[in-house]
Amino acid sequence: MTLSVIVVAAGSGERLGSARPKAFVDLAGLTLLERSLGPIVDLDSVDQVVVVAPSGWVEPAQQLAAHVLGDAIALEVVEGGATRTDSVRRGLESVDDSASIVLIHDAARCMTPREVFERVIAAIEEGAQGVIPTLDVVDTMVPRDRDTGVTHAALDRDGLAITQTPQGFNAGALREAYATFDGDATDDAEVLRHAGLDVVSVEGHRDSVKITYPDDLDALHAVVVGAPNLRIGVGVDAHRFETGTSMVVAGRVFESSQGLSGHSDGDVVLHAITDALLGAAGLGDLGTHFGTSRPEFAGAPSPVFLDKTLEMLEQRGYRPQSVSVQYIGNEPRLGAVRGELSDALTALVGAPVHLSATTTDGMGLTGNGEGAAAIAQALVVRHESSAEPGK
C-alpha cells in the first residue's frame, strides 16, 4: 500500500489573535506546521505529503515543509480554499493516483504523537474505509439555544466521543465520497458517512489538542519547554564627562557644565538598555549596529538606537518583557526624578523599566567624577515565527 498525508494548514489564525496564519505561529522555536510534520517524518511508510497553505503563504510553507521532510518524502504544497472542505478538496487533487491510503491531519493539532498515526494506518490496512482517533467525553454535555442561552437535558456521554486527527481513509473511497459531496463538512469523516460508508474509531491521545485560542498556545508552550520562552541579556556602557557637552541621562537633559562624550549623545542608560536587548535576542551589541563605524549615527539621539533595536527584535520574533537598569555616577542626582524617568523609559521600551542609581564611593572612573556608567538587564520573550510571505 502507498500512503499520502494531507496536512491542512490554511487556517487564518484569527481566533488565535495572530497576525500570521495559524500554522506559521511559533511554538517554542518551531512553527505549528513544522511540529505537525515531525511525527509524519518518523513513520516508515509515507510516500507523499501534501501541505495545504493559505493564500500568499505557499512559498514559506514549501520552505518549512521541505526543511522538515528532506528528500525522502515527495512534497506538494497547494493553496487552500475558502473553507476547510474546499482546502481538503484541493489537497486531494494533488494526492498521487497510486496512493491507496490517505491521511488528513490538521496542522493545529501539532502535538499529535506518532502512535496515533500508526493506529489509524493499521485500521485502514485491516480493511476499514474510514478511521478517526477519538477520546471519551468526560464532561457533562447539554444542548444549548445560542439565542436564549436556555439549556436542555444532558446528553448520554457513553454515546459520545471527541474526534481528532489524523483521519485515515481508503483513498478510492475518499475520492468517490468527495465527488458526490456538495457543501461543507465539519470533518472528512462526515463526507465519508454522507456517502453511506462506515467510519470506525481508534484511540486518540490527550496531547493531540487543537490550538484555537491564545490560551491553547500558552498551555502547550508550557508543556514543550516547561517555562515561558524567555531570554535575558546584559548591557554595559560608560562615557567620560566632557565640558561643553549636554548632560543626557535616561533620555532627559540635565543642567550641568559638562556632559557625557560619545559617538551620539552619550546617554549611558539608553545605551545599556539597547545593548541588553540586542544581547537577549542574539543580535550582537551596540557597537556593531551603532558604533563609530556607522557615521550616519554620529550625534544621533539615543532613542533612535532603541527604536531600531526594537524593530530588529520584532523581525526576529521577540518583544521586551522587562528591563532593569542602574546608573552609576556622582552626577546628575536622579533620586527625585527616578520615578518619572522609569515611566518615560517604560514608554520608550514598551515594557516595564525599573531605573535605579548608585555611586562607587570615590573609586574608579565614576567615583572620581571622570565619567558615568550604566548596567542593564533585559528580559525578552519570543512570541511568533518570523516567517513572512515570500521569505
Side-chain angles (χ1 to χ4, degrees):
M1 290 187 173
T2 57
L3 171 63
S4 293
V5 183
I6 300 173
V7 178
V8 185
S12 67
E14 182 178 350
R15 288 181 291 180
L16 193 58
S18 171
R20 298 182 177 88
K22 186 191 297 184
F24 297 85
V25 170
D26 179 88
L27 174 59
L30 292 175
T31 63
L32 303 192
L33 175 58
E34 290 171 290
R35 289 193 177 277
S36 69
L37 293 170
I40 297 173
V41 176
D42 293 336
L43 296 172
D44 297 328
S45 54
V46 179
D47 301 286
Q48 179 194 30
V49 170
V50 178
V51 175
V52 186
S55 175
W57 288 80
V58 170
E59 185 177 343
Q62 176 79 35
Q63 294 173 356
L64 291 173
H67 177 71
V68 176
L69 298 176
D71 299 326
I73 301 174
L75 171 65
E76 295 284 340
V77 181
V78 299
E79 186 174 302
T83 66
R84 186 186 185 283
T85 302
D86 289 338
S87 292
V88 173
R89 283 184 188 277
R90 295 187 181 189
L92 193 57
E93 290 171 358
S94 293
V95 168
D96 194 275
D97 292 339
S98 66
S100 53
I101 298 176
V102 176
L103 302 187
I104 302 176
H105 185 49
D106 290 341
R109 295 187 186 274
C110 63
M111 299 302 292
T112 302
R114 171 181 171 176
E115 64 192 74
V116 179
F117 286 82
E118 292 174 335
R119 284 195 286 266
V120 171
I121 294 169
I124 295 294
E125 289 178 336
E126 291 170 4
Q129 299 296 295
V131 181
I132 57 174
T134 63
L135 292 177
D136 291 339
V137 175
V138 295
D139 295 322
T140 298
M141 302 185 69
V142 296
R144 182 193 65 186
D145 188 306
R146 287 187 177 274
D147 295 327
T148 65
V150 174
T151 62
H152 304 283
L155 301 174
D156 181 4
R157 287 180 297 187
D158 290 340
L160 298 174
I162 299 169
T163 64
Q164 299 179 325
T165 67
Q167 299 188 352
F169 305 93
N170 173 284
L174 183 64
R175 287 192 176 99
E176 289 180 10
Y178 261 96
T180 60
F181 184 76
D182 182 18
D184 292 323
T186 57
D187 66 2
D188 307 291
E190 194 63 27
V191 176
L192 212 69
R193 294 189 196 98
H194 184 269
L197 298 175
D198 289 335
V199 178
V200 301
S201 67
V202 295
E203 184 182 357
H205 201 283
R206 293 293 172 189
D207 288 348
S208 186
V209 296
K210 184 178 181 181
I211 296 177
T212 304
Y213 299 104
D215 287 350
D216 301 329
L217 192 65
D218 292 341
L220 276 185
H221 191 283
V223 171
V224 173
V225 301
N229 193 0
L230 300 174
R231 294 188 180 186
I232 191 168
V234 177
V236 179
D237 195 55
H239 288 291
R240 292 184 179 278
F241 288 131
E242 184 177 272
T243 303
T245 302
S246 297
M247 176 68 78
V248 183
V249 176
R252 177 176 294 191
V253 179
F254 290 84
E255 290 187 10
S256 176
S257 60
Q258 60 182 356
L260 291 164
S261 65
H263 182 54
S264 61
D265 59 13
D267 189 337
V268 292
V269 169
L270 280 178
H271 289 183
I273 291 173
T274 302
D275 202 33
L277 289 169
L278 289 168
L283 291 168
D285 55 31
L286 187 73
T288 300
H289 296 284
F290 310 109
T292 54
S293 62
R294 301 291 301 274
E296 67 271 28
F297 293 116
S302 294
V304 170
F305 304 161
L306 179 60
D307 288 344
K308 291 189 176 296
T309 295
L310 293 174
E311 290 176 8
M312 286 189 281
L313 260 66
E314 180 62 29
Q315 290 169 2
R316 287 288 294 270
Y318 292 98
R319 61 170 177 262
Q321 191 80 355
S322 66
V323 174
S324 176
V325 58
Q326 185 170 65
Y327 176 75
I328 307 168
N330 296 337
E331 64 165 315
R333 297 292 182 176
L334 303 183
V337 294
R338 189 175 61 82
E340 297 175 23
L341 294 177
S342 292
D343 291 343
L345 292 171
T346 294
L348 287 174
V349 173
V353 177
H354 177 265
L355 172 66
S356 61
T358 189
T359 64
T360 55
D361 292 332
M363 297 183 291
L365 177 142
T366 59
N368 293 328
E370 299 175 55
I375 300 174
Q377 287 186 321
L379 197 64
V380 302
V381 61
R382 186 170 178 87
H383 57 95
E384 311 191 319
S385 166
S386 58
E388 297 178 1
K391 293 187 179 181

